[in-house]
Each structure stands twice: as structure tokens, then as C-alpha cells.
Amino acid sequence: MKVRRICALSLALSAPILATQAQASLTDGAQLNFEARNLYFNNHNRSAPKIQSNTEQWGQGFILEGISGYTDGPIGFGADAIGMLGAKLYGPQGRNGAIGLFPTDSTGNSPDTFGSASFALKARVSQSVLRAGYQQLNLPVIQSNDGRLLPSIYRGITFSSQDIADVILNAGFIDRVQGRNQDGEQKLKATGNAKAFSSGFTYAGGTWNPIKPLGLTYYYARLNDVYQQNFVGITTATPLSIGKLSTDIRYFNSQGVGAQFSGPINNNAIGGLVSYSLLGNTFGLGYQALTGSSGFPYLDPGQSVGGVVTGTTGGNSGLIGEVPLSKFKTQDEKEWVLKYSYNLSRIGLQGVAFNSTYVSGHDARTSSKAAGQNEWVRTFGLSYNVPDSVIKGVTVAWKNVTYRTNVTGNHSQDQNILLVSYKFGLVHG
């Protein structure tokens, strides 16, 4: 009896100590990050008479994300949370649909504010992590889009591991998505003429680096009742006596499964980009070709909300030719890709960078009677990272996009985007 009392007393006295140790381990490596985005977006439609010709929107976004460490022990536990808030500073009523900066109702109006809060639980064993809740993913077969006030996020269960030397493994099941201009989770669907939503998205794969400059990647993905996809990628980065040469080769094979899409899916997409970097300059040349009896399918986070189309897909395809305003994903389409960027710090303009892209697509087929169609996109961008000595974490960026097309269902557009972003790490454990 006396032994039991001693044990009980020991447990009672040690409980606060154990709780303090668990709390300390959770804060080790913890982060609390804040970002404020002020975004002005101007979109001019050139060749679609039924769509408003010019749309201007201006908004303020706030993103606060807390990332915990892990408790001690063979299995470490933790939790993450993200809160997002968007505010409309300018956007004429009835003219909020063409850009998709804000949520939109059936009349084209949008609320003054929109936001959400999401959470995730996680467990770690060695270098392997199991996570349930919100997900921000950047994989060839599924990617979060971050091109507006707030990023798109997914919901599901994911697994990642780096326990095997030179290998990164990823797998997961996703059942919901929140688009970049939405304030709630939606079921999944594919871009294009989807008949209905999917019950979920499954993926598995990884990257192996047999030698340092070489990366070999494979992923399998399946959007239930819509399509399955195999991806193979090869990347290299080779230092030369003068400059550096990089290559990025991507191959997708996509086949339809189920009947939740209007028409069959059968597509092969192969593309490659070769880049050469020297003295702050980077030149890129690429080519992509699509074959098969359909266009390229991918997840679409910007689907209808309450029966109202948001006006922007907001999805990333993973294709080598993807740029703003076009994925270059139409059946039979071929395209050339030209890229150039320059770090102006080389000539004394510290923190200033320039980037540009030109993609020209041809032979696109939207139906048996509409073949040989063309499109092209040209982008220019300037960014300036304000010196930390002035104010830390501030970036000012401008992007100009010109799109011209005669592809059925698309329309020529001009865009100008001005972004002022402020990122600040509130806590770093």
C-alpha cells in the first residue's frame, strides 16, 4: 500500500515536469509566420464580346500560419494552423467575375471580406511524417496555387519520408479543396467539362537522386471516376567551366476512369526545358507536345461555388509550357517555350530581378471540325526585394501578361498585376 502511495505521489509530482518537457519540445523548431499582400489586378478582354471588356480589382490579403515542433519520444506529435483573410479595397459591383480575386455570387458581386481557418495534426517517426488536415502541396501531379490574395489549400491525409538516403517519398489522399478566391472547402473536380465532383484524389511516388546533379521522379495519381495519371520526370543541374546547364524533362500519361467527365480522356504530354545560367542571366528553351484523343486533365480548385462559376480555374497543371492565362493543354497542341531572366544586382541594382517568358502553341484541336488553332503568351516581370536595412521582408513586384488566341472557348487578354508583399517571422523556435 505504501509503495502505491509513493508511486502515485511520484506521478503527481512528475506530471507538471513531463507537461513542461512536452511543451518545450513542441516549441522547438516552431514557427509563426505572417504575410500581408496588397494586390492590384487589371484584366482587359480583347476578343470575347459576352465578357466584360475591362475589370479592375484591388485587395488586401493576410495569412497567419503556425507550425509546431514535435513532442519527444519515438513518435512525435504536433499540430499546425493557418488563418487567411481577404478584404476588397476596390471592385465595382457586378464586375467581379473575370479575375477571380474575390468570391463571386450570381450577380457578379463579391463580399467586402472573406476568410477561413484550417488545422492539421501530424506525427513523426524518424524522418517520416504523417499529416491529417489542410495541405499545401507542390508535386508534379497536384499543386497548390498561390497566384492571388490567398493560396489554394487541400484537405486530406498525406505521408512524406526521407528515411532512405537520396530518396524522397510522398503519398496521400485528398478529398476537398479551397480555391484561391474561396472561403470554404469544395469537392474535387477536373478542369474542363466535368459532369460531377469526384470522391477523392490519391497519389504516390517520389524522387531519387542517385548522384547529386540528377533527379529521377515518378508519381501515380488517380482522381476517382475521372482520370488516372502516370508521371516521369528527369532533372539535372550541371556546373560548366563557364556557367551552369540545367534540364527539366516531364512526361505525363493520362487515361480516363469512370464516367464523371464529358468525353473520354486519353492524353500523352511530353516536354523538356534546357536552361543555361551565366553572370546573373538565365536563358531557357523548351518544347512540349500533346498527343492522344483528348486534352490534358488536371485538378481544378476554381470550380463553381453554389452553382456560380468563379471565373478562374486557379489550378496548376505541372506542364512544362504552363504560364499565366494558358496551360497549353489542348488536344494535339505543340508549343515552343522561351525564357529569360536577369538578376540586376549584377549591375548594382540590389534586390531587383527581371523575368520574361514567351510560349507559342499551334495545332490545337478543340473538336473534329476545329483543328490547327493557335495561341501565344508573353510575360514580363520585375521584382524588388527591399533591403533588410530599410525594412525586412518586403517585396514589390509587377507582372504584365499578353495573351492572343483563336482557340475555341478561349479569348485574348491583357493583364497587369502589382503586388506588395510583407513577410515576417513572428516566432522561430
Side-chain angles (χ1 to χ4, degrees), residues 33-49:
N33 299 314
F34 172 77
E35 181 179 0
R37 299 176 179 177
N38 192 279
L39 182 66
Y40 169 77
F41 209 132
N42 179 285
N43 189 82
H44 186 192
N45 290 297
R46 295 283 184 176
S47 59

Side-chain angles (χ1 to χ4, degrees), residues 297-382:
Y298 63 96
L299 279 175
D300 180 11
Q303 71 277 0
S304 300
V305 180
V308 179
V309 178
T310 61
T312 173
T313 60
N316 286 355
S317 66
L319 293 172
I320 205 79
E322 177 177 337
V323 287
L325 292 179
S326 182
K327 313 295 184 191
F328 292 88
K329 64 177 183 60
T330 307
Q331 178 185 345
D332 292 343
E333 189 166 14
K334 316 294 187 298
E335 61 264 2
W336 287 97
V337 181
L338 296 174
K339 292 189 174 185
Y340 172 72
S341 61
Y342 181 58
N343 185 350
L344 277 74
S345 299
R346 303 285 305 192
I347 57 174
L349 298 177
Q350 297 299 318
V352 180
F354 169 80
N355 64 81
S356 61
T357 305
Y358 177 78
V359 183
S360 177
H362 59 278
D363 292 339
R365 177 188 295 272
T366 56
S367 70
S368 59
K369 298 181 180 180
Q373 299 181 332
N374 307 313
E375 58 181 337
W376 60 263
V377 174
R378 182 185 63 230
T379 70
F380 296 111
L382 277 173

